[in-house]
Amino acid sequence: MYIPKKLKYRKYHRGHLRGKALRGNKITFGMYGLQALEPSWITPKQIEAGRRACTRKIRRRGKVWIRTFADKPRTKHSSGTRMGSGKGSPKFYVDLIKPGRVLYELKGVTKKLAFDALTLTASKLPMKTKIIRRKKRLNL
């Protein structure tokens, strides 16, 4: 699983899931991408499950880019702890996904195979997604 090596702070505020993705909302590396349609938190286990499903489907033919990383610590009290006594200790990490964020990108495979692989990947994620395609660039 992917966890950060170093953090600026041990514990973060919860934050909110409002708004749309301003960065990371366009395909940069590949030809096909998986874009989030609703806000959610995503864990490293879910990111890895999506990556495995995608690479197994394309049988290591193309290249897969993961455009997200879980770097926000989530805290939790141990079971049986009474109310109060401050904030719990960090238990796992999440990444805040806003609508429009590109999560995975693919290149080097056919259109049908890319759509099949990204559909399978989307089934491993906790949010609604859509498959997008890169627009052709004009060579001036």
Side-chain angles (χ1 to χ4, degrees):
M1 282 197 305
Y2 310 107
I3 60 169
K5 289 179 185 172
K6 191 175 171 183
L7 290 171
K8 189 169 184 179
Y9 301 107
R10 218 174 115 239
K11 300 174 184 178
Y12 282 89
H13 287 292
R14 248 175 98 95
H16 51 75
L17 293 169
R18 293 192 300 257
K20 294 189 177 180
L22 300 175
R23 294 176 186 88
N25 54 3
K26 292 180 178 68
I27 295 178
T28 310
F29 305 105
M31 277 300 297
Y32 303 96
L34 192 66
Q35 190 176 42
L37 293 178
E38 60 186 15
S40 179
W41 280 330
I42 189 169
T43 64
K45 281 185 177 183
Q46 292 164 339
I47 296 169
E48 178 64 13
R51 184 199 66 80
R52 280 186 179 185
C54 191
T55 52
R56 284 186 180 173
K57 186 67 179 179
I58 64 172
R59 293 185 183 155
R60 297 187 302 175
R61 275 192 286 248
K63 179 139 176 62
V64 179
W65 285 272
I66 302 171
R67 298 276 311 272
T68 181
F69 183 76
D71 59 347
K72 185 175 185 176
R74 297 291 296 127
T75 59
K76 202 171 189 181
H77 277 292
S78 57
S79 62
T81 307
R82 295 188 177 192
M83 294 292 285
S85 71
K87 194 167 183 173
S89 58
K91 293 293 180 192
F92 59 97
Y93 294 89
V94 295
D95 189 20
L96 175 70
I97 303 296
K98 292 187 175 183
R101 177 80 180 266
V102 176
L103 304 170
Y104 296 91
E105 290 186 26
L106 273 176
K107 187 178 185 178
V109 291
T110 63
K111 182 180 178 182
K112 184 180 181 333
L113 188 59
F115 272 70
D116 290 346
L118 291 173
T119 304
L120 191 62
T121 303
S123 68
K124 309 291 180 189
L125 301 176
M127 73 208 60
K128 289 181 184 174
T129 57
K130 73 174 180 179
I131 299 168
I132 56 173
R133 188 163 186 227
R134 185 182 215 165
K135 294 182 176 99
K136 301 279 185 186
R137 290 191 197 170
L138 295 173
N139 294 328
L140 300 174

